[in-house]
Amino acid sequence: MTEFLKKEGKFTYAEAGEGRPIIVLHGLMGALSNFDATFSFFSKKGYKVFVPELPLYTLPLLKTNVKNLAKFLHDFIEFKELKEVILLGNSLGGHIALYYTKQYPADIKALVLTGSSGLYENSLGNNYPRRGDKEFVRNKTRDVFYDPKIATDELVDQVYDTINNRNSLIRTLAIAKSAVRHNMAKDLPKMNQPTCLIWGKQDTVTPPEVAEDFHKLLPDSNLYWIDKCGHAAMMETPNEFNIILEEWLQTRKI
């Protein structure tokens, strides 16, 4: 995805393809590269795919929350002059997509949520984040996936560096608290956009009952399960994830 990166003003993002816009939103510990396979696949399938880098660690501390991340997304959509957008979010990215849809429903054609926060999620443990304990970080990172091999040394190092940097640690905690405050349960029944829910059956962060609650509360949703898959289906089972999403988009004529 690196060759598709652009920097314009306050925005750093990847962009490829032509057609209806899909904006991909990464999670709290996520990176643009988490969506490499999805970015590549859909940019060749008649969609213009954007993956913006969210300012998780660069906003003023008092503005580091779900609301202002959604505002940043609004600024990006206006900057790119996009209409009838599909928002695709994993974990915190899904939460931002939901909050955005609440605030700016006319912009959104459809939602795709995978391992999304917004209702509730399991924390990474009472002692998280434990600074300086790399083995603890390694184990907790592995727990995010069904296959622990997905938690490469590079990914563990990324998480470790984040929680051992005071600036990013404080903002990580601020965003986590904001996510709890911005529970979307009362808002979901008012969101009429078609919504595709793709969930790992072995997701321990936003477990299967979270997906089932999203499905019950959203007026127009379809729920798909991927077996032997944890919290980040687009990373762990990218081919299956892409096939499910493509078929859903074709079926719903989006």
Side-chain angles (χ1 to χ4, degrees):
M1 192 187 295
T2 309
E3 65 269 30
F4 297 101
L5 277 178
K6 299 181 179 182
K7 185 168 179 58
E8 296 181 293
K10 68 177 181 178
F11 304 110
T12 300
Y13 62 98
E15 174 188 341
E18 292 296 334
R20 185 184 298 283
I22 298 177
I23 298 181
V24 179
L25 302 169
H26 61 80
L28 183 55
M29 294 290 182
L32 275 61
S33 59
N34 294 3
F35 288 91
D36 272 343
T38 298
F39 178 81
S40 176
F41 184 87
F42 284 99
S43 63
K44 298 170 185 171
K45 294 285 186 176
Y47 296 92
K48 191 162 193 173
V49 187
F50 300 87
V51 190
E53 188 176 276
L54 298 173
L56 302 180
Y57 310 122
T58 55
L59 288 174
L61 183 57
L62 291 177
K63 292 188 175 182
T64 302
N65 52 42
V66 172
K67 177 181 177 180
N68 280 292
L69 290 167
K71 184 180 182 302
F72 174 87
L73 176 59
H74 184 249
D75 292 345
F76 179 73
I77 287 173
E78 288 204 325
F79 175 72
K80 297 301 294 184
E81 299 181 340
L82 304 177
K83 306 290 183 185
E84 295 192 324
V85 173
I86 301 165
L87 290 182
L88 190 171
N90 171 242
S91 201
L92 174 70
H95 200 159
I96 295 166
L98 288 165
Y99 192 87
Y100 187 97
T101 303
K102 173 187 174 181
Q103 298 297 114
Y104 310 100
D107 292 351
I108 305 307
K109 180 69 174 179
L111 287 167
V112 183
L113 305 176
T114 180
S116 177
S117 60
L119 289 177
Y120 62 93
E121 59 186 313
N122 292 326
S123 68
L124 294 180
N126 294 330
N127 296 320
Y128 175 81
R130 187 183 295 175
R131 301 172 74 187
D133 188 342
K134 196 161 191 177
E135 199 56 34
F136 175 84
V137 173
R138 186 182 307 280
N139 290 334
K140 289 301 177 184
T141 305
R142 284 175 174 169
D143 287 346
V144 171
F145 306 102
Y146 174 80
D147 180 359
K149 292 195 295 293
I150 303 293
T152 60
D153 288 343
E154 182 182 3
L155 183 58
V156 172
D157 287 345
Q158 176 189 322
V159 175
Y160 182 81
D161 290 345
T162 297
I163 67 172
N164 279 278
N165 177 291
R166 185 175 181 275
N167 172 66
S168 56
L169 172 60
I170 290 171
R171 282 163 173 76
T172 296
L173 294 172
I175 293 168
K177 289 176 182 176
S178 166
V180 173
R181 287 197 308 272
H182 289 95
N183 186 284
M184 305 298 297
K186 292 180 180 178
D187 302 302
L188 297 180
K190 303 169 192 171
M191 295 183 186
N192 295 307
Q193 288 84 356
T195 303
C196 181
L197 303 165
I198 305 176
W199 232 262
K201 282 188 177 180
Q202 288 75 31
D203 187 341
T204 59
V205 180
T206 47
E209 53 266 31
V210 177
E212 290 164 358
D213 285 346
F214 271 121
H215 188 37
K216 289 173 189 172
L217 289 167
L218 286 161
D220 185 10
S221 64
N222 301 99
L223 174 57
Y224 302 92
W225 298 104
I226 299 181
D227 197 15
K228 297 181 180 177
C229 178
H231 184 55
M234 71 291 163
M235 285 179 70
E236 192 161 9
T237 56
N239 292 336
E240 195 167 353
F241 178 90
N242 291 340
I243 288 168
I244 289 170
L245 180 53
E246 182 186 27
E247 289 180 353
W248 183 80
L249 290 168
Q250 288 177 348
T251 300
R252 301 303 299 265
K253 299 179 179 178
I254 297 171

